[in-house]
Amino acid sequence: MAEWKNLDTLTSFDNLQKVQKVNLKEAMSGENGAERVKKYSIPMAGGLSFNYASKQVDEDVLEALAKLAEEAELVKKFEALYNGEIINTGENRLVLHHMTRGQLGNPVEADGVDKRTFYVTQQEKIADFANKVHNGEITNAAGEKFTTVVQIGIGGSDLGPRAMYLSLENWAKKNNAFKMEAKFISNVDPDDAAAVLNSIDVSHSIFVLVSKSGTTLETLTNESFVKDALKKAGLDPSKHMIAVTSETSPLAKSDDYLAAFFMDDYIGGRFSSTSSVGGAVLSLAFGPEVFAQFLEGAAEEDRLSKNENILENPEMMDALIGVYERNVLGYPCTAVLPYSQALSRFPAHLQQLDMESNGKSVNRFGEPVNYQTGPVIFGEPGTNGQHSFYQLLHQGTDIVPLQFIGFKNNQLGSDVVIQDSTSQQKLCANVAAQIVAFACGKSDDNRNKNFEGSRPSSIIVGEQLTPKSLGALLAHFENKIMFQGFVWNVNSFDQEGVQLGKVLAKRVLAHDTEGALKEYSDLLNI
Amino acid sequence: MAEWKNLDTLTSFDNLQKVQKVNLKEAMSGENGAERVKKYSIPMAGGLSFNYASKQVDEDVLEALAKLAEEAELVKKFEALYNGEIINTGENRLVLHHMTRGQLGNPVEADGVDKRTFYVTQQEKIADFANKVHNGEITNAAGEKFTTVVQIGIGGSDLGPRAMYLSLENWAKKNNAFKMEAKFISNVDPDDAAAVLNSIDVSHSIFVLVSKSGTTLETLTNESFVKDALKKAGLDPSKHMIAVTSETSPLAKSDDYLAAFFMDDYIGGRFSSTSSVGGAVLSLAFGPEVFAQFLEGAAEEDRLSKNENILENPEMMDALIGVYERNVLGYPCTAVLPYSQALSRFPAHLQQLDMESNGKSVNRFGEPVNYQTGPVIFGEPGTNGQHSFYQLLHQGTDIVPLQFIGFKNNQLGSDVVIQDSTSQQKLCANVAAQIVAFACGKSDDNRNKNFEGSRPSSIIVGEQLTPKSLGALLAHFENKIMFQGFVWNVNSFDQEGVQLGKVLAKRVLAHDTEGALKEYSDLLNI
């Protein structure tokens, strides 16, 4: 059994703090810098690699991080997780999202079924349904093919699937895998649903209602909004909707849906992109084969996360460097900077994945911790960000660690040569240039044009953003965040912090308010 | 003449640090909290108000902030700015974006012309052009009306205009002001331009090329991309493109464009939404009258920023509370949380506006400062964020000040009643609930369900997001950021931090690299 201990009780953490800090600017200059780029790299699945040459580490720091990984028993804890221990202690639940894409250890039985079988069965049901939609066996009442799929969900039922859809939309169009356009309705702001409904042909649309509990306020409200619109168009909503929910939810056996696909309590919303939550919409949009490739990439990356050697485990390395930056170097934020327009919403998904998992102040036993946990995560695609917030990243008073992502090839294959280089080459040249600019800086007597350098970054590089490399990329961050939760000794799989607001919102709607809450309600005219 | 001094040399800053800190949880509880909500509010233009009841302030803090505003001569510095002093010292330029929407002080002459007249003339030229496009006087070569406008720009030429377009798209559709759909191409990633081009009918599209210098790499590359596509479709690019640029740029007098509209060096990209940069695309999309209302809202808010009384100046108050949070309370980030799906990209625009303006380590004289300057800014619309990163905001180890934005009414007017309330009521109930949840928290013996509270926020509340209120909202943040730059004594109007990356990227493309830069270039296959 792994021992769950607070970070500040570990001898290896104490030692880590004493290791000489690296002067990154110096380390990355000259031939030493070139050597680091070659050496500080770990292969990942899907043709990716994790390169941490421009992080503030050296052999001594890496050795101390390896000892921390060992003392914190990170791999053993991961093993406990995928073998079905109750890792989500707060909610007394197993944590099984890895099992949607493979089986890393022993069979796990829960609720009387083998869970791997359960998830695979759902995938097969979805594949069958999607194929029937695509080949015209399942149609609207007029016998016409559906052309659009609309996901209705919020949080993990929205951000992950939406980011994955956008990541693969152009790839699918280029590779004859584009089956249906997907749209997303999430916000309880009625303008969100109304605008999406105005932009589609509802008579040829199929709606995926996603709510694990079947009680999410925003999602049920938006479902009613959509049903209203369908009825007004003279359509039968039950012929246009499917549900993704848990088997015990009120939606599971309802006649209101063409079909229901299941998830369970062992997969948190933010980790559900590889479950039916992502599976239904992505299989409908791109076909089940594409979704299977996505799962394969994730599965392969998951297996790399089992490696006890930090130098060969990209997720553990990334996690520990992040802990070092947060708890020893004292950096409060991390920016995610994909040099790929297709990843435009990937930072928003990571923002949820990371901040909702590790934005905690108590350990897994409910005791307050005396150290910083999850950082603030934000980001936008490059090169756009270069013309925006990079100013602060380069010359601001705080140091923000950076996570670059880049691909050698674009997805659509259209390009143009200007001034002797393609757009793709310009894109890649910019990411290379930025990493070195951040790390090495540049002295200038005009202090306004001076760059201190020593601003750490890592990069995940790939051949192309494909279903498989996207799966690997997603699993990388999921597992990185899991490992960080282990190090901080927090429960990364609950989210009690979202509850109080829900309770108070209900009181506002019931006009059961007083004091400031009443005044704010009046201010907003409720 | 105003005196430009570093924050840490001001007596009032010294005194501010000594003022007793407010226990926000206590202050916001009971009737005292209700009183604060009523009292701590400042009217804004466009029917908005700035409410700071849930900020960590009280009468003593406010008095100290007022003294800081006075000693830092904020209003006097604003006066110097709009009267045409060289406030952008680094680039030796005036700062005149306010003049695109009104004249706050004396006439300002530069480059031999009266600048207010110059900006108004450009607006009139754009209005005339847009009207001719709308009424069919200006058409494509086949004599058919243009239906789509595509902005090609990056940074300030993209984020602001795009955020403003999305903010008003639904409002315009509802109010018969929707003239043309707008799209945006920004990233040098060739998949960005290719995807936009695939989604439109180029033969009925008009492209707005936006580059002040006429030399922005991404924008010129994307222009070539678009010209290629037009030629391949058998079209004459010069009949489908207009330019927004400075009078001295190579684009200004070129036959490659149907028309050219001008901006100048006195308006930074991130402050250019109210100039021709926003004016061309927004006037084409919604008509010049809508753009004029937007300017009117901004102009009215600008006038409020002239008020020396901090209690009546929403921008100065917001700015000073932000400085207090950053430099006295030590909070490193700020989240922007609009409860309006239409404002989905407003946080990304503010991210640039704020981080590019005040992410500096040297003062306006090029001397290093010894205090923190601009914070990291991030955000997503509510209620979506509630199901995502709010976990960390409620229960994380760092305190993140929050900027809520909410409207009593939605834009499209479609709504649905579920469980006795509309979606709009649910949306507003949630923002009221969140503010109180953050401020007051809730004790629970189960520490995992415990909310410490005392997490500060303010809210800007309005009747509806309209052109006028949007203008006021934009001007609020522009002026807030300007005042903060004055307090920190930095030059908020240059961006030297973006230069080094450009230089290195050119070297990569010229294969003039060595050391780490060469290795990264190889890694990315350039």
Side-chain angles (χ1 to χ4, degrees), chain A residues 476-494:
Chain A
H476 173 78
F477 287 103
E478 287 184 357
N479 296 347
K480 169 196 166 178
I481 290 162
M482 169 193 74
F483 282 131
Q484 291 191 325
F486 291 162
V487 177
W488 287 318
N489 204 27
V490 300
N491 177 6
S492 304
F493 304 101
D494 66 355

Side-chain angles (χ1 to χ4, degrees), chain B residues 475-511:
Chain B
H476 173 78
F477 287 104
E478 287 183 358
N479 295 347
K480 169 195 165 178
I481 290 161
M482 168 194 74
F483 282 131
Q484 291 191 326
F486 291 163
V487 177
W488 286 318
N489 205 26
V490 300
N491 177 6
S492 303
F493 305 100
D494 66 355
Q495 54 283 322
E496 292 295 341
V498 308
Q499 296 304 328
L500 178 57
K502 286 189 199 176
V503 173
L504 295 182
K506 275 189 191 158
R507 280 182 43 200
V508 174
L509 289 169
H511 299 285

Side-chain angles (χ1 to χ4, degrees), chain A residues 54 187 189 191 224 341 345 352 361 366 372 380 382 387 391 395 398 411-412 418 447-448 494 497 520, chain B residues 54 187 189 191 224 341 345 352 361 366 372 380 382 387 391 395 398 411-412 418 447-448 494 497 520:
Chain A
S54 290
N187 204 329
D189 179 349
D191 287 344
S224 296
Q341 191 63 23
R345 293 301 286 167
Q352 171 181 32
S361 300
Q372 308 305 110
E380 291 285 333
H387 295 256
Q391 165 65 40
Q395 293 188 317
D398 290 352
Q411 291 182 315
L412 283 169
I418 309 288
R447 294 278 317 190
N448 199 27
D494 66 355
Y520 278 117
Chain B
S54 290
N187 204 329
D189 179 348
D191 287 344
S224 294
Q341 191 63 23
R345 293 299 288 166
Q352 172 181 33
S361 300
Q372 308 305 110
E380 291 284 334
H387 295 257
Q391 165 65 40
Q395 293 187 317
D398 289 352
Q411 291 182 314
L412 283 169
I418 309 289
R447 295 281 315 192
N448 201 26
D494 66 355
Y520 278 118

Side-chain angles (χ1 to χ4, degrees), chain A residues 384-417:
Chain A
N384 293 4
Q386 289 176 205
H387 295 256
S388 169
F389 56 87
Y390 278 37
Q391 165 65 40
L392 183 146
L393 304 182
H394 279 290
Q395 293 188 317
T397 48
D398 290 352
I399 287 182
V400 179
L402 311 171
Q403 172 66 68
F404 288 100
I405 301 170
F407 300 95
K408 296 174 194 171
N409 303 294
N410 60 319
Q411 291 182 315
L412 283 169
S414 284
D415 210 333
V416 64
V417 174

Side-chain angles (χ1 to χ4, degrees), chain A residues 121-131 261 275-276 279-280 283 288:
Chain A
T121 304
Q122 297 310 311
Q123 285 161 15
E124 288 168 354
K125 277 172 58 186
I126 288 171
D128 182 57
F129 183 86
N131 285 332
F261 306 108
S275 78
S276 303
S283 298

Side-chain angles (χ1 to χ4, degrees), chain B residues 44 48 101 160 164 270-274 294 297-298 301-302 315 346 349-350 353 468-481:
Chain B
M44 295 170 59
L48 301 174
R101 52 234 196 187
M164 301 308 129
R270 56 193 175 273
F271 294 96
S272 68
S273 291
T274 53
F294 170 65
E301 196 63 42
D302 287 341
E315 291 67 50
F346 196 73
H349 175 56
L350 287 194
L353 200 56
K468 193 165 176 191
S469 60
L470 180 66
L473 197 63
L474 178 70
H476 173 78
F477 287 104
E478 287 183 358
N479 295 347
K480 169 195 165 178
I481 290 161

Side-chain angles (χ1 to χ4, degrees), chain A residues 23 79 119 150 185 222 314 386 393 419 443 490:
Chain A
N23 181 325
E79 217 175 286
Y119 297 130
V150 184
I185 297 174
N222 280 322
Q386 289 176 205
L393 304 182
Q419 294 171 10
S443 298
V490 300

Side-chain angles (χ1 to χ4, degrees), chain A residues 211-232:
Chain A
S211 172
K212 183 153 64 181
S213 63
T215 62
T216 314
L217 175 79
E218 284 90 342
T219 302
L220 294 187
T221 303
N222 280 322
E223 182 193 23
S224 296
F225 208 104
V226 166
K227 280 186 172 170
D228 248 32
L230 287 164
K231 282 180 206 159
K232 278 182 191 152

